[in-house]
Amino acid sequence: MLLIRCPWCGPRNEVEFSYGGAADVVYPPDPDALSDAEWGEYVFVRDNPRGPFAERWVHTAGCRRWFRAVRNTVTHEFREES
Amino acid sequence: MTDDLMRSPLAGVTFTAPFVRELPFLAMVNLRVGTFPHPLPGPNRVGTLDGRDVLWLGPDEWLVVGPPGDAPAIETLLHQALGDTHGSVVDVSANRTTLAVSGPHARDTLAKGCPLDLHPSVFGPGHCAQTLLARAQVVLRQVDADPTYHVLVRGSFAPYLAEWLADATREFW
Amino acid sequence: MTHPDRLWRNPCLKWSYDVVIVGGGGHGLATAYYLAREHGITNVAVLEKGWLAGGNMARNTTIIRSNYLMDESAAIYEHAMKLWEGLSDELDYDILFSQRGVLNLAHTLGDVREGVRRVNANRLNGVDAEWLTPDQVKEFCPIVDISPDVRYPVLGATLQPRGGIAKHDHVAWAYARAADRLGVDLVQGCEVTGFVRSGGRVVGVDTNRGPIRAGAVALASAGHSSVLASLAGLRLPIQSHPLQAMVSELLEPVHPCVVMSNHVHVYVSQAHKGELVLGAGIDPFNSYAQRGSVHVVEHQLAAALELFPVFGHAHVLRTWAGIVDTSPDASPIVGPTPVPGLYVNCGWGTGGFKATPASGWVYAHTIAHGEPHALNRPFGLDRFTTGALVDEHGAAAVAH
């Protein structure tokens, strides 16, 4: 069970949240300029690190805001700064 | 405004536990605004505005709660306060009903299905939160130190939650 | 049968192999066996950082079925099923394969339509499949509650009679012994820390026991595939998640088959020894921790209790989690990579155990020939460029 710090509501139980996967995935500025391989990479490939991971969460059952957090995928600890 | 056609989603439900009751038809107006000319409560807190309760819901969202039939007056009040400021005022009274759970067993009852820490050192009178109760989304507020809690729940979840409360309170009376 | 003291040697690590397989789980061991048995490639090492079959092979719920919707999936899983059916004889070791039947329950009209469609698709692909009414479900598995007034009523089920369970440890041991007898080196406590490159090609691995040269390096490391691939500069379309499971205490025989429910995210069988084995849906977040959150287990048990009221008398003995490697289309990735000399076998997600024999069989073929077999050609990395996905979310055991 994770205790997740919503930047607006404070620490809340994991069950109030939904997961949004990797953060900082930027939509390609000019998709038409990408090759099929580059587009496929954008659509399907995400980092999957063992260790600190910047990710998106949404406080579904709370304020319903999306936010970014850095969590260690081995210890499940959230890092304070994000 | 109340009239004979209004019907609570919990109409006909008998609350077996003496410390659970419904407060139907409370006026609820949702306010979304960036900057508001009057002070509004901060995170997880309840404030007041011209005699009404104001519940913090999010960084730009509040719920103004008044007695049954008060919604038009609240809307007028908020519109006047907003003036030319950009904001959203919506009567959501029909969205939810309110369950009051009070007395010495209230905290233990809610703790069975709520992931919040309801210990008085963490959550006390004047506190509110959007959270889950028995996996139903609710707005929970503590009204007094008895303690009395108000559970604001959507109409479609209200009968389920009333049944859950009947089960959760069974051991206490 | 008197069990031998040792099933495989504890070999001296050589400095060079024709093929180095990274990961000594079921898929890695099966790959080594089929490389030796089918292709005569015996100068093979299986490198395992822990102990053989100590990862997902030791953590899965041992369900075997081949009733997948898509033609490509049905073909590879049915190939696995046929191999399972002969495996105890082939490996001369009883893997306790019990074809007791797998039910996939339908709880909504959408489930029913999907189930009937899948039965038809399975039959067209030569996979045994039947559609059962609620009463037939009750007849096949008497402890399932089919009353209509529960939250998720049973509206029917697909049945694959040839589906069932096997004993996971025995499967690993059987493959390990057979591969060992054919000359494969099974090396435990040997962690790969990098790849040896020459030009653009992978020509070996660095390990905690020194560098090892290899004609080909084949990853079979499930949840850790992304970590290893990144050492070769390769990004995989894989996300690693916890998948939890649990067992009850030992009970008298009460549950005659395998019951799965996509809708409520639970799957249950009773192991040979007598414990109920239950699996959950994946935890939503990425993790390498081999543990998940308790609310997922709670949800799963609530579902199990509604389907099987009799389980209310049972106790959970222990819970655990594995790290599953999920892919965007819920189908595996088996084949060459853009890095010459490096092969990948991953993305089996929640369903890798049932595929073990076919996974090893096609992977061995791919490594031996330098190109995929027809069965795994649809499952290449290139499908994430071409868009020719094998979208198997509907037939996966759980959503991911």
Side-chain angles (χ1 to χ4, degrees):
Chain A
M1 187 69 74
L2 309 180
L3 187 65
I4 302 173
R5 180 173 293 279
C6 168
W8 308 106
C9 302
R12 296 290 186 90
N13 189 302
E14 178 193 343
V15 296
E16 294 186 7
F17 297 84
S18 304
Y19 189 59
D24 309 329
V25 179
V26 180
Y27 189 77
D30 184 6
D32 289 341
L34 298 188
S35 66
D36 286 353
E38 289 166 335
W39 178 250
E41 171 113 353
Y42 164 69
V43 173
F44 294 117
V45 182
R46 295 290 179 270
D47 288 339
N48 185 27
R50 193 179 190 280
F53 185 39
E55 57 195 12
R56 304 269 293 160
W57 290 86
V58 57
H59 194 183
T60 320
C63 62
R64 301 186 300 284
R65 295 308 190 277
W66 283 93
F67 59 94
R68 181 184 188 275
V70 176
R71 186 180 55 94
N72 188 305
T73 59
V74 180
T75 65
H76 292 176
E77 282 176 313
F78 284 86
R79 203 192 281 164
E80 275 304 316
E81 97 279 9
S82 61
Chain B
M1 198 183 343
T2 59
D3 61 47
D4 293 342
L5 294 176
M6 289 180 68
R7 182 181 162 85
S8 161
L10 295 178
V13 172
T14 308
F15 293 95
T16 48
F19 54 95
V20 179
R21 64 197 173 98
E22 189 198 8
L23 305 172
F25 309 130
L26 291 183
M28 298 182 199
V29 178
N30 187 275
L31 171 66
R32 300 289 297 266
V33 66
T35 53
F36 195 69
H38 301 287
L40 293 168
N44 305 317
R45 291 295 187 279
V46 181
T48 57
L49 182 68
D50 202 19
R52 282 83 170 187
D53 293 334
V54 183
L55 282 60
W56 182 89
L57 297 184
D60 64 353
E61 187 174 12
W62 288 265
L63 189 69
V64 185
V65 180
D70 191 34
I74 296 173
E75 284 185 290
T76 304
L77 171 75
L78 294 176
H79 278 301
Q80 284 174 351
L82 276 173
D84 293 335
T85 312
H86 187 67
S88 158
V89 174
V90 182
D91 177 2
V92 293
S93 305
N95 219 340
R96 303 182 178 92
T97 189
T98 303
L99 290 159
V101 186
S102 56
H105 301 303
R107 186 173 290 123
D108 287 344
T109 299
L110 296 178
K112 289 185 185 184
C114 181
L116 285 185
D117 183 355
L118 297 177
H119 189 271
S121 65
V122 180
F123 197 88
H127 288 232
C128 69
Q130 295 195 84
T131 183
L132 296 170
L133 182 60
R135 288 179 282 191
Q137 268 188 20
V138 298
V139 181
L140 181 72
R141 63 178 287 205
Q142 186 171 341
V143 179
D144 60 36
D146 281 351
T148 299
Y149 297 93
H150 285 182
V151 179
L152 284 61
V153 60
R154 291 186 201 287
S156 54
F157 283 87
Y160 156 73
L161 202 60
E163 285 186 11
W164 181 84
L165 278 168
D167 182 64
T169 52
R170 187 172 295 166
E171 67 174 292
F172 295 124
W173 59 281
Chain C
M1 145 178 146
T2 49
H3 202 278
D5 290 339
R6 281 182 176 277
L7 287 171
W8 56 85
R9 299 163 294 133
N10 188 19
C12 289
L13 190 56
K14 294 189 285 191
W15 68 274
S16 173
Y17 291 91
D18 292 338
V19 179
V20 163
I21 295 168
V22 184
H27 290 217
L29 293 169
T31 304
Y33 167 73
Y34 291 114
L35 271 174
R37 179 80 174 74
E38 300 288 327
H39 306 283
I41 301 172
T42 57
N43 186 26
V44 175
V46 177
L47 308 183
E48 167 55 50
K49 73 172 176 179
W51 61 93
L52 288 191
N56 291 350
M57 194 64 175
R59 296 159 192 275
N60 72 88
T61 51
T62 77
I63 297 170
I64 293 167
R65 63 190 175 92
S66 61
N67 55 350
Y68 279 66
L69 176 68
M70 312 302 288
D71 295 347
E72 300 88 344
S73 315
I76 195 167
Y77 287 104
E78 179 59 20
H79 185 62
M81 180 66 84
K82 292 197 168 77
L83 291 170
W84 281 118
E85 288 174 326
L87 206 56
S88 286
D89 286 342
E90 177 173 353
L91 300 178
D92 190 26
Y93 197 97
D94 189 358
I95 60 165
L96 301 177
F97 183 37
S98 164
Q99 291 178 289
R100 56 184 65 183
V102 173
L103 291 174
N104 287 82
L105 301 181
H107 300 283
T108 66
L109 187 56
D111 279 359
V112 170
R113 287 172 174 155
E114 190 279 328
V116 172
R117 177 188 178 207
R118 188 153 50 82
V119 165
N120 291 332
N122 289 162
R123 287 180 171 179
L124 287 170
N125 278 318
V127 177
D128 58 320
E130 297 168 29
W131 176 256
L132 301 190
T133 64
D135 286 335
Q136 290 171 316
V137 170
K138 186 77 178 170
E139 197 177 329
F140 196 78
C141 186
I143 57 172
V144 174
D145 183 2
I146 60 164
S147 48
D149 57 347
V150 295
R151 175 65 184 85
Y152 294 103
V154 174
L155 302 182
T158 67
L159 168 64
Q160 184 177 22
R162 289 156 70 232
I165 60 172
K167 182 81 179 129
H168 54 285
D169 283 339
H170 289 209
V171 175
W173 299 339
Y175 272 123
R177 182 178 69 157
D180 175 82
R181 284 182 174 174
L182 292 169
V184 171
D185 283 354
L186 308 176
V187 187
Q188 304 182 78
C190 184
E191 181 174 5
V192 170
T193 55
F195 293 92
V196 182
R197 306 286 284 261
S198 173
R201 190 178 173 84
V202 165
V203 294
V205 291
D206 289 316
T207 77
N208 59 343
R209 294 172 62 176
I212 302 166
R213 304 287 289 190
V217 176
L219 302 184
S221 46
H224 282 81
S225 297
S226 298
V227 176
L228 280 161
S230 71
L231 297 175
L234 188 64
R235 290 179 87 214
L236 294 174
I238 291 292
Q239 299 280 289
S240 298
H241 292 273
L243 177 65
Q244 301 188 71
M246 69 188 70
V247 290
S248 73
E249 77 273 49
L250 303 186
L251 302 170
E252 292 295 313
V254 59
H255 181 24
C257 60
V258 180
V259 173
M260 317 182 65
S261 167
N262 278 9
H263 205 94
V264 298
H265 279 182
V266 70
Y267 36 102
V268 191
S269 68
Q270 187 168 16
H272 298 85
K273 227 166 34 172
E275 65 267 48
L276 295 168
V277 184
L278 298 91
I282 61 169
D283 282 60
F285 51 79
N286 291 34
S287 174
Y288 288 86
Q290 290 187 323
R291 68 172 188 274
S293 294
V294 74
H295 68 92
V296 175
V297 169
E298 187 184 14
H299 177 84
Q300 163 199 11
L301 283 173
L305 282 178
E306 189 179 75
L307 287 174
F308 304 96
V310 66
F311 289 178
H313 299 285
H315 300 92
V316 172
L317 195 64
R318 66 180 181 277
T319 74
W320 65 89
I323 307 167
V324 298
D325 40 334
T326 63
S327 72
D329 58 355
S331 286
I333 300 166
V334 187
T337 71
V339 181
L342 182 65
Y343 295 84
V344 68
N345 180 353
C346 63
W348 294 93
T350 60
F353 177 75
K354 72 174 79 69
T356 302
S359 168
W361 196 91
V362 299
Y363 202 26
H365 179 101
T366 304
I367 297 161
H369 292 83
E371 59 178 65
H373 186 271
L375 284 170
N376 65 311
R377 194 176 302 278
F379 297 106
L381 263 177
D382 55 343
R383 73 181 187 270
F384 301 103
T385 297
T386 63
L389 305 183
V390 187
D391 193 352
E392 201 55 84
H393 283 93
V398 293
H400 59 71

